[in-house]
Structures are given as C-alpha cells and as structure tokens.
Amino acid sequence: MRPFLLAALVLVSANASAEGQIASLINFESAAARPTTPDGETNVTSIIGANMEYTLPENISFYGGLSFVIGEKFENAITLGSRYYSATPALQILPGIPMWSFIGGGVSFLDETVYYPEAGFRIGISDVSRLDVFVKVLNSSSDTYDKHVMVGAGLTF
C-alpha cells in the first residue's frame, strides 16, 4: 500500500509543479566588448535568438531554440538555458509596469561550445508581453567566442 501512496503523492506533486507558462522569446544581443583572436579576427558582432521559454510557478524558466551569430562569418546554433527570476518585482517603473531581476546561464552549440552566465531585468509591458534587458559573458575554449560581453534585449509574448 505504501508504494501506491508514494506514487500517488509523486504524481500529484509533479503535476502541481508542471503548471507553468510557455511563451516565445526573441532576443537581440550586441557585443559590448570583444577581444581580437590571435589571427586578428573579431568574430561575434551580434546574436539573434528565437527560443521557446517554459516558466514554472517557482520563478524558474527553461528556454531553448536557435541562435544566429552575425560577425565575420555567419553561424547558427542550438541554445539552451535557464533563468531564476525574483519572486516579487524589484522595481515598479510606472503604475502597472513591474520589473523583475533575474540571473541565469546557458550553452550555445556553435563551432565550439559556448557557456554563458547572464543577469538582467524583465519588464512587464503588458499582461501578455515582457521586455528583457540583459548582459551575458561568453566563455569558450575557442578564442573566437571567449571573453565576449554581450548586451541584449528580448521580447517574450
């Protein structure tokens, strides 16, 4: 009898934590600082991303999709990441426009794997749309992508 009760408890708690939101996330990032490689290249100029984001009620989100790198050569990649949002709005810009802070990280599978931490703000511009403003630091074993500081904005709808 105990295994059935445990299984029922796990099923109910898994169902309760899985009630989240799915949204589209489109972002644009530009290089604020990009070092020159030993070959004299500065590859990453900007990144455009098209992702799907799943946000849990616990203020944690997971996203994944495609990224397109614009630079000395064009590349595309699969990107996966996660963010943790503040439970209550950090600021109230105008009445009815809350702003949450977030930290997160992710990975992009370009020619070389790129890892990044990120931090930023999510601004509630309407009941269904959010504007993200963030900073990322790209880290990779390749000089082409390593030590890039990216500043970006995104729209979730």
Side-chain angles (χ1 to χ4, degrees):
M1 184 71 170
R2 282 188 191 175
F4 292 113
L5 290 174
L6 181 61
L9 180 62
V10 169
L11 183 63
V12 169
S13 62
N15 187 29
S17 68
E19 294 175 4
Q21 296 178 355
I22 296 177
S24 300
L25 173 62
I26 298 173
N27 57 19
F28 176 79
E29 306 163 30
S30 182
R34 55 184 180 152
T36 305
T37 65
D39 300 332
E41 295 179 0
T42 54
N43 184 36
V44 179
T45 303
S46 57
I47 300 173
I48 298 171
N51 302 295
M52 292 301 292
E53 181 181 47
Y54 181 71
T55 306
L56 297 169
E58 293 84 9
N59 303 324
I60 298 172
S61 73
F62 301 97
Y63 61 89
L66 296 175
S67 294
F68 305 96
V69 177
I70 302 167
E72 291 186 9
K73 63 180 184 174
F74 179 81
E75 293 183 67
N76 55 7
I78 294 174
T79 300
L80 302 170
S82 179
R83 291 177 174 170
Y84 175 74
Y85 295 95
S86 59
T88 57
L91 297 171
Q92 192 81 11
I93 299 174
L94 295 171
I97 302 179
M99 182 166 60
W100 297 270
S101 59
F102 67 85
I103 58 170
V107 60
S108 291
F109 299 101
L110 294 158
D111 284 344
E112 298 289 331
T113 305
V114 176
Y115 302 95
Y116 58 86
E118 64 180 337
F121 293 99
R122 174 163 276 189
I123 304 165
I125 56 177
S126 76
D127 290 341
V128 294
S129 301
R130 306 284 186 257
L131 177 67
D132 296 341
V133 179
F134 56 89
V135 174
K136 290 182 179 179
V137 179
L138 304 182
N139 299 294
S140 177
S141 59
S142 169
D143 290 333
T144 305
Y145 310 107
D146 196 30
K147 299 178 185 170
H148 282 68
V149 177
M150 307 298 287
V151 177
L155 181 65
T156 302
F157 53 94

